[in-house]
Amino acid sequence: MSMDYKQIIIAIDGSEEAEWAFKKAVAIADRNEATLNLVNIIDTRSYSSAEAYDRSIAESAYKSAEELLNNYKAEAVQAGVQNVNVVVEYGSPKVMISKDLPKKLNADLIICGATGLNAVERFIMGSVSENVVRSAKCDVLVIRRPEGL
């Protein structure tokens, strides 16, 4: 049984927690010569009604997610990671990150920031990282922001 990671998913949502998680993910991918899959899920539940779910809103969300991930990709490549994929999908972040994408990408490690939500949202929805830890079939690494930062 190999102890190396080959397919790593890093969930990036633009938060500071995701930024810290990304830095760790790059180091791990580099050490393991793994493929780093930069993932951003556009949460379709945030479009509450049919008229609010306007194609142009969806397209602009997609473009900005892609731009965000491409900036991270450039940084990862510069740091020496050979294989970096950008994955932008629509759906429920919890389901996509813990179940759908790991299966599709054959992931053996998922890395995410400790939280991307404020206290109220966490209380109502639970954090994505919590859900990933509970339901993912592969290893999960949750990165905490260093104290005092």
Side-chain angles (χ1 to χ4, degrees), residues 37-48:
N37 297 286
L38 308 173
V39 170
N40 180 282
I41 307 302
I42 298 164
D43 193 341
T44 46
R45 294 163 311 168
S46 58
Y47 304 114
S48 53

Side-chain angles (χ1 to χ4, degrees), residues 75-87:
E75 209 177 308
V77 168
Q78 199 175 4
V81 181
Q82 302 283 308
N83 299 308
V84 186
N85 297 321
V86 165
V87 181

Side-chain angles (χ1 to χ4, degrees), residues 94-113:
K94 287 180 183 177
V95 176
M96 297 294 291
I97 295 166
S98 65
K99 295 193 176 84
D100 299 354
L101 286 175
K103 203 177 291 173
K104 184 173 158 185
L105 300 169
N106 203 10
D108 43 24
L109 178 64
I110 300 169
I111 301 176
C112 50

